[in-house]
Amino acid sequence: SVCSWSYLDLDLIIGIDNGGDSLTCGIDFHGDPEMARDRQVLYAMKNNKYNIPYIHYVFGPGCDGESTVEQLKKSIYDKENKYLGQFQLNKELIEIMRDRSKYLTDTRTPNIMYSAFIKQPKDNTNESKNNNDIDNDKDIDK
């Protein structure tokens, strides 16, 4: 609510969307795609009554399967999104995201991203490998 923004006395809002459906509206929302949760969070940041500056990050565009490649590309060129650039997720950032999402199930996007980044086998062993240490010829999904 508006009272929350005022009470918190914020000077910057940081939003993070894993996947990018906040920009694209996604492909799996039934009804009005503009009403999807991630889209509404972005609207709240953009239209806050107190004009608190915000920055909105999209980590792992397309990683959740909720946006098409075409939608993601279009969102980059949409002037309303004010696209600033991109950077590669690194091991340190992925591990911080994993720590912050440790209470989420393994099927939630931050944990899926973590598993994909370290290419963890499906048996969910605690042994993880650095992205550079993976033998790309080995099929770990079977």
Side-chain angles (χ1 to χ4, degrees):
S1 82
V2 173
C3 295
S4 299
W5 297 119
S6 177
Y7 176 79
L8 293 172
D9 193 30
L10 302 172
D11 57 8
L12 177 67
I13 302 168
I14 300 173
I16 298 174
D17 173 19
N18 294 310
D21 52 315
S22 61
L23 301 178
T24 67
C25 296
I27 58 174
D28 66 344
F29 191 83
H30 303 292
D32 185 356
E34 294 292 332
M35 298 305 294
R37 179 184 59 221
D38 290 343
R39 190 72 168 175
Q40 289 300 305
V41 170
L42 181 57
Y43 280 147
M45 289 188 300
K46 283 183 174 181
N47 300 302
N48 72 80
K49 181 179 178 179
Y50 297 96
N51 294 316
I52 302 166
Y54 72 94
I55 189 161
H56 181 69
Y57 291 100
V58 174
F59 289 163
C63 70
D64 57 3
E66 295 178 8
S67 300
T68 66
V69 171
E70 183 178 306
Q71 287 175 314
L72 290 163
K73 286 181 180 179
K74 184 178 176 185
S75 73
I76 289 173
Y77 298 109
D78 184 341
K79 290 182 183 190
E80 184 179 319
N81 290 332
K82 300 177 184 174
Y83 178 77
L84 297 175
Q86 63 188 11
F87 61 92
Q88 186 165 342
L89 297 177
N90 60 32
K91 184 178 181 183
E92 180 182 9
L93 184 54
I94 290 287
E95 288 177 349
I96 289 170
M97 288 173 54
R98 173 68 169 193
D99 183 60
R100 301 300 188 275
S101 59
K102 62 186 167 195
Y103 297 111
L104 299 176
T105 66
D106 288 342
T107 59
R108 296 296 302 268
T109 309
N111 293 325
I112 292 170
M113 291 169 63
Y114 174 81
S115 294
F117 186 84
I118 64 166
K119 298 185 181 188
Q120 181 175 332
K122 285 190 175 183
D123 67 1
N124 293 328
T125 61
N126 289 331
E127 296 177 23
S128 64
K129 295 182 177 182
N130 182 312
N131 205 20
N132 298 325
D133 296 337
I134 299 295
D135 177 3
N136 291 327
D137 295 330
K138 189 186 268 185
D139 186 358
I140 59 173
D141 290 329
K142 292 185 180 177

